[in-house]
Amino acid sequence: MMSLSHIFLISLVACLVLTPAVRHVARRRDWVAYPVKDRWHETPTALMGGIAIYLAVAVPLFFMADFQGFWSHFLGGKTQRTAPSIEAAIWVGATFMFVLGWVDDFLRIKPHVKLIGQILAASLMAFLGFRLHWFSSLTLDTLVTLFWIVGITNAVNLIDNMDGLCSGVGMIAALYFAVLFSTGTGSGLPAALLLAGALVGFLVYNYNPASIFMGDCGSLVIGFTLAMLGIHYSEAVASAPLARLGVPVMVLMVPMLDTTLVTLIRLLSGRKASTGGRDHTSHRLVLMGFSQRHAVLFLYGVGTISGIAAVFVNASDTLSSPAVIIPLGLSVLLMGIYMAQLRVYEEEEFSMLRNHAYTPILMELTYKRQIALVVLDFCLIAFSYYLSYRLRFSDGEFSFYFDLFLHSLPAIIACKFIAFFLVGIYRGFWRFMSTDDVFIFVKASTLATVFSVVAVTYLYRFRDFSKGLFVIDWLLTTGLLLGTRGSFRIFLDSMGRKTLAGEKALIYGAGRGGEILLREIVNNKSHQINPVGFIDDDPLKTGKRLQGYPILGTSLEMERLFEQHAFGCIFVSFMASPETEAAVSSVKAFCKKHGTSLRRFSISLEEVDLDG
């Protein structure tokens, strides 16, 4: 019996050797992707790396798979059919997907033709007996299984839009499936290890800056294999209903998030879902200020965290799993909302929306977010109350108190929403969240807890309830309210700073005026100013930070700072006075010497001529 490490190493070494050979042939035969407007790469790059991935996985898998059950479906008659092994099914389906992708890479077949081919492969898997087992209805479960295979295959195909993204995310997902399968009978483990090893080997050449792309003949193979591994987990490994549904989704969270986000935004923007473009999650991260590498690494991190959650859910019961699934789902939802706010499409594309029938819906989603906030708070209230029970009671006690939780939850939700409405937490703007808003949220959470205690006392005479439970619930509710609202403020502020472009500037004066000036620069990109930091004549401020920007030194150190940062402009953030005139004079001399501009920031309140 071949050891697991040997299985992984076989595909790893095979892909390490095959990929340079495929790259050499691709360059000689001009199988090259040239830069185009709607693609991200900027240099001609070899294609067909999927050939190396397929051979590294399919050749060893062919010798490991048991095809007896596969042939019995076609040659054994009605009474002699046995379920084929998952390895045999993956080999057959992946081979079909490889041929389909290879033809598409060369002939550029139409999207609907490629979709028909994917449906045929999914239908074959359903015919062989593979299902997700998410629903008791065989018809519904079969349809969902077909949608799962086709959907995941295309989702993985769509994230092949930046160097190392598809191969890295696929590798992480395959490794997590290998971990999950290692706790069961071991079925499916060889396929997961072979795919992970091949993608590690390919990532050596595909990571930024990539020297070869995999093409559809690689991404379709990866997507189909991961989809089948998810089905196999639901069939053979999952022990709890919630794990059967949640674990495959969490392992494949990155491609599912990207495809869902891109499809919804394209449809709402009047674009075809199949139209390519620079509007994927990775591209939006770059718009936020991430480099290509950091954007890819960020999505690696999302896949890793989601995979850890999947492993926890796999090892937990149905009552414990929501403690991980709900916060992960809320985090992904918030991230999706963040990404959706980024402007990707050009102005003329937005102007096309005005005559569409669903434009009012888009306007509602864009400008009236109160409904979304209410839905979010509904989830936060339910989750904090649930988690309070999990933290307050042991596993044995929780099963007893779970019925009490379910019966009292509607009353808790009603009480908290009444308190939120009375205090007015939906009247503010998250982007301008201040200390006053923090007090409002704390006040709302406190009042909500008081209402909840009064309600359970009236309805249940506080029988079987714990005082500590409501203390924990208050802490969780307050933290979640502040965390979700504050995360938007942090995100928007961070995005604004990362995307600043223009003339490098130094701000003179790290006081209140400097802080107001910095906020104006960050929030108003029309100034085309990119601050590098502050200077201040108080030496005790040197080395500290103001609104995230460093205080680099005093005005006496401008020569050194100019050599380090090459700024082209200096802003004086304080008002003119006799005490500061000498220091400003030295700054003027510096600007004359180096040809930099000098500007003074001021806030003025002017009378308006009512008769003019």
Side-chain angles (χ1 to χ4, degrees):
M1 181 69 179
M2 190 179 299
S3 69
L4 299 180
S5 59
H6 287 161
I7 295 174
F8 179 83
L9 289 173
I10 285 173
S11 61
L12 170 62
V13 174
C15 208
L16 282 172
V17 174
L18 289 170
T19 302
V22 172
R23 182 180 59 190
H24 176 72
V25 174
R27 288 172 174 172
R28 289 192 60 182
R29 295 181 176 272
D30 198 33
W31 299 343
V32 175
Y34 292 95
V36 291
K37 182 180 179 181
D38 64 342
R39 292 295 182 265
W40 200 253
H41 64 285
E42 298 178 350
T43 58
T45 307
L47 287 170
M48 300 300 168
I51 296 175
I53 296 174
Y54 171 75
L55 292 176
V57 174
V59 172
L61 187 62
F62 177 81
F63 293 100
M64 297 178 189
D66 179 10
F67 288 91
Q68 182 178 358
F70 177 80
W71 294 119
S72 70
H73 272 72
F74 298 95
L75 304 176
K78 293 183 179 180
T79 60
Q80 300 180 15
R81 293 178 180 178
T82 58
S85 67
I86 183 63
E87 288 80 11
I90 287 177
W91 189 90
V92 172
T95 300
F96 181 85
M97 287 294 185
F98 170 74
V99 174
L100 180 66
W102 184 80
V103 172
D104 184 48
D105 286 332
F106 277 103
L107 303 180
R108 294 297 176 189
I109 59 179
K110 294 182 178 180
H112 72 272
V113 176
K114 186 164 61 172
L115 179 61
I116 291 173
Q118 295 167 359
I119 293 174
L120 289 176
S123 299
L124 176 60
M125 296 301 107
F127 172 76
L128 293 174
F130 291 96
R131 292 192 295 114
L132 284 165
H133 297 279
W134 286 358
F135 302 96
S136 57
S137 169
L138 179 61
T139 301
L140 180 59
D141 198 53
T142 301
L143 292 175
V144 172
T145 300
L146 295 176
F147 183 80
W148 169 267
I149 296 175
V150 174
I152 294 299
T153 301
N154 280 287
V156 174
N157 177 244
L158 286 174
I159 64 170
D160 186 24
N161 54 59
M162 195 168 284
D163 294 353
L165 179 56
C166 182
S167 52
V169 169
M171 173 200 68
I172 293 170
L175 287 174
Y176 275 116
F177 276 127
V179 171
L180 294 168
F181 294 149
S182 65
T183 62
T185 61
S187 176
L189 185 56
L193 288 174
L194 286 173
L195 180 62
L199 293 179
V200 170
F202 185 73
L203 194 58
V204 173
Y205 308 97
N206 185 237
Y207 193 67
N208 185 274
S211 62
I212 187 170
F213 295 151
M214 65 177 67
D216 280 6
C217 64
S219 60
L220 293 183
V221 170
I222 297 170
F224 175 83
T225 303
L226 291 175
M228 289 301 297
L229 291 176
I231 291 174
H232 183 64
Y233 170 84
S234 295
E235 286 190 314
V237 180
S239 58
L242 200 55
R244 183 178 295 112
L245 176 64
V247 168
V249 172
M250 287 188 284
V251 172
L252 298 171
M253 180 63 73
V254 172
M256 293 184 69
L257 169 65
D258 179 77
T259 301
T260 303
L261 180 67
V262 170
T263 301
L264 288 176
I265 293 179
R266 285 179 181 177
L267 291 176
L268 289 173
S269 300
R271 296 162 58 93
K272 292 182 179 179
S274 59
T275 303
R278 298 187 176 191
D279 57 350
H280 289 270
T281 308
S282 54
H283 303 142
R284 293 173 185 273
L285 289 170
V286 172
L287 286 177
M288 288 171 54
F290 287 82
S291 66
Q292 288 191 43
R293 285 190 176 188
H294 288 164
V296 171
L297 290 174
F298 178 86
L299 292 175
Y300 286 178
V302 173
T304 301
I305 294 172
S306 185
I308 293 173
V311 173
F312 175 86
V313 171
N314 175 68
S316 304
D317 57 26
T318 302
L319 296 179
S320 302
S321 297
V324 171
I325 294 176
I326 294 176
L328 178 66
L330 289 175
S331 300
V332 172
L333 176 63
L334 287 173
M335 186 168 71
I337 295 173
Y338 296 157
M339 298 295 178
Q341 294 184 72
L342 295 173
R343 181 170 176 175
V344 177
Y345 304 115
E346 298 175 358
E347 181 62 33
E348 56 267 23
E349 292 179 309
F350 276 110
S351 65
M352 293 169 58
L353 305 183
R354 295 170 187 158
N355 297 324
H356 279 77
Y358 46 75
T359 298
I361 300 176
L362 183 62
M363 298 294 288
E364 288 290 326
L365 292 174
T366 305
Y367 298 108
K368 296 184 179 180
R369 300 173 184 164
Q370 284 81 358
I371 295 178
L373 298 185
V374 171
V375 173
L376 175 63
D377 286 343
F378 177 87
C379 297
L380 295 182
I381 292 169
F383 174 66
S384 63
Y385 192 52
Y386 165 83
L387 191 57
S388 299
Y389 273 87
R390 291 299 304 172
L391 295 174
R392 176 63 181 84
F393 302 110
S394 63
D395 291 340
E397 293 173 324
F398 180 72
S399 59
F400 170 78
Y401 285 104
F402 188 68
D403 286 339
L404 187 63
F405 159 76
L406 291 178
H407 283 93
S408 59
L409 179 60
I412 299 298
I413 292 174
C415 290
K416 292 196 175 185
F417 270 122
I418 291 173
F420 291 173
F421 178 78
L422 291 176
V423 175
I425 67 171
Y426 301 112
R427 299 172 191 163
F429 294 94
W430 291 8
R431 185 185 184 103
F432 305 107
M433 184 177 176
S434 64
T435 306
D436 290 336
D437 295 309
V438 172
F439 285 121
I440 289 175
F441 291 131
V442 174
K443 180 181 176 181
S445 179
T446 303
L447 185 61
T449 300
V450 172
F451 283 0
S452 299
V453 172
V454 171
V456 298
T457 302
Y458 176 77
L459 295 173
Y460 303 100
R461 300 297 184 265
F462 216 82
R463 185 179 304 163
D464 295 328
F465 284 91
S466 167
K467 296 177 182 177
L469 172 75
F470 289 96
V471 174
I472 297 172
D473 180 58
W474 176 81
L475 291 171
L476 291 174
T477 302
T478 305
L480 289 172
L481 283 175
L482 293 175
T484 52
R485 271 64 173 181
S487 64
F488 268 90
R489 169 67 185 272
I490 294 171
F491 163 78
L492 293 171
D493 194 48
S494 175
M495 186 180 69
R497 294 171 188 235
K498 284 180 175 292
T499 56
L500 282 177
E503 186 180 25
K504 289 185 177 181
L506 193 66
I507 299 177
Y508 185 16
R512 177 61 65 183
E515 179 192 13
I516 296 173
L517 171 59
L518 179 62
R519 288 186 181 277
E520 172 62 20
I521 292 173
V522 171
N523 294 321
N524 192 346
K525 295 181 182 179
S526 64
H527 294 305
Q528 292 291 306
I529 298 169
N530 187 10
V532 297
F534 293 87
I535 57 173
D536 196 281
D537 289 328
D538 183 355
L540 296 178
K541 293 183 179 180
T542 300
K544 297 181 180 179
R545 304 181 76 86
L546 178 60
Q547 295 292 325
Y549 283 85
I551 302 175
L552 301 170
T554 67
S555 60
L556 301 177
E557 302 175 79
M558 285 192 296
E559 291 288 349
R560 174 183 62 83
L561 297 176
F562 183 74
E563 293 179 2
Q564 292 179 354
H565 301 283
F567 49 85
C569 178
I570 298 177
F571 284 91
V572 179
S573 64
F574 48 83
M575 300 296 292
S577 66
E579 293 81 8
T580 61
E581 195 57 37
V584 173
S585 297
S586 66
V587 174
K588 289 180 180 178
F590 170 87
C591 292
K592 287 182 180 179
K593 177 181 177 182
H594 294 280
T596 61
S597 62
L598 179 65
R599 308 174 198 174
R600 185 184 294 276
F601 171 73
S602 64
I603 298 176
S604 61
L605 303 176
E606 300 178 358
E607 289 286 345
V608 177
D609 185 2
L610 301 180
D611 298 324

